[in-house]
Amino acid sequence: MKKIVVLSGKSLLAVVVMGGLFGFLAYAADEKTDAKGDLAPLEIKLPQPSLVGTPLDYWSERLEVTFKKRPPFMAPKGVTNVALGKSVTASAKPTLGKLEMITDGDKEAKDESLVELPEGTQYVQIDLGAPHEIYAIVVWHFHAGERVYFDVICRTADDPDFTQNVTTLYNNDHDNTSKLGAGTDKEYIDNYEGRLIDAKGTKARYVRLYSNGNTTDDKNHYLEVEVYGRPL
Ligand SMILES: [Ca+2]
Ligand SMILES: [Ca+2]
């Protein structure tokens, strides 16, 4: 025998309310899709890959080894390299090159493009000139030959002394050599693609990048740092 379900007034009301709720959820999901639609792959101008150099004689269980190209990085449309031409300071005077070369757009693996800082934990700091919403930071240390730079740490802040709103975006100093806290990010081999650090829309004016020597020598090097973002 077939059962006939008769909805009472109350049940009908519940059905209507539930229907409305599902409709709202579907609408909210659509909104998310729309927000995603405003993303575009970052256009990062890459330097020439370097084919000469000494192969790496280094291994660590924390070393990331990949033979794949970096997949496109999605960021809101209209985001550009806001570090280009911005002023750079550092923890020490360069022993090669000038600090302004870190934001001059040249990232070719040539000696004349290289900025070198002395041995030990050193940092370079970029002043974006105003608070920005930051989506990605790309750093090229030196990619002529294979090198791993040690204790790579990337932080952002609202003030030049890094006391206000300090955010750590990358830290592969697993044993806290640089006394900024131990990090769990991977070590990696520098190459022509640079290292892209996901900044997840962090709001800041200053970007600081630390390192502590590399597998070839004890010095610290930079060809270029790019900061993809937009003014707040
Ligand atoms: Ca440069
Ligand atoms: Ca360390």
Side-chain angles (χ1 to χ4, degrees), residues 16-30:
V16 169
V17 168
M18 288 302 282
L21 182 65
F22 282 124
F24 172 74
L25 287 175
Y27 170 75
D30 268 357

Side-chain angles (χ1 to χ4, degrees), residues 163-193:
T163 61
Q164 308 291 317
N165 189 28
V166 179
T167 306
T168 300
L169 296 174
Y170 197 89
N171 183 350
N172 68 14
D173 181 11
H174 71 100
D175 55 358
N176 199 19
T177 312
S178 297
K179 306 281 182 283
L180 293 165
T184 56
D185 289 306
K186 292 280 191 182
E187 292 184 336
Y188 62 91
I189 301 165
D190 249 72
N191 70 17
Y192 76 105
E193 289 192 309

Side-chain angles (χ1 to χ4, degrees), residues 60-123:
S60 149
E61 58 188 14
R62 292 173 298 278
L63 181 66
E64 175 189 292
V65 180
T66 175
F67 301 99
K68 282 186 259 174
K69 286 189 122 188
R70 180 171 58 226
F73 184 84
M74 303 304 284
K77 274 181 192 166
V79 156
T80 58
N81 173 23
V82 293
L84 190 65
K86 295 287 166 66
S87 77
V88 183
T89 52
S91 53
K93 209 170 141 21
T95 44
L96 276 177
K98 291 176 178 166
L99 290 177
E100 62 245 41
M101 290 160 56
I102 294 172
T103 53
D104 68 354
D106 170 19
K107 48 199 108 151
E108 299 299 329
K110 298 175 297 185
D111 287 351
E112 60 266 36
S113 304
L114 189 61
V115 181
E116 182 183 80
L117 295 176
E119 48 280 298
T121 298
Q122 304 289 357
Y123 68 78

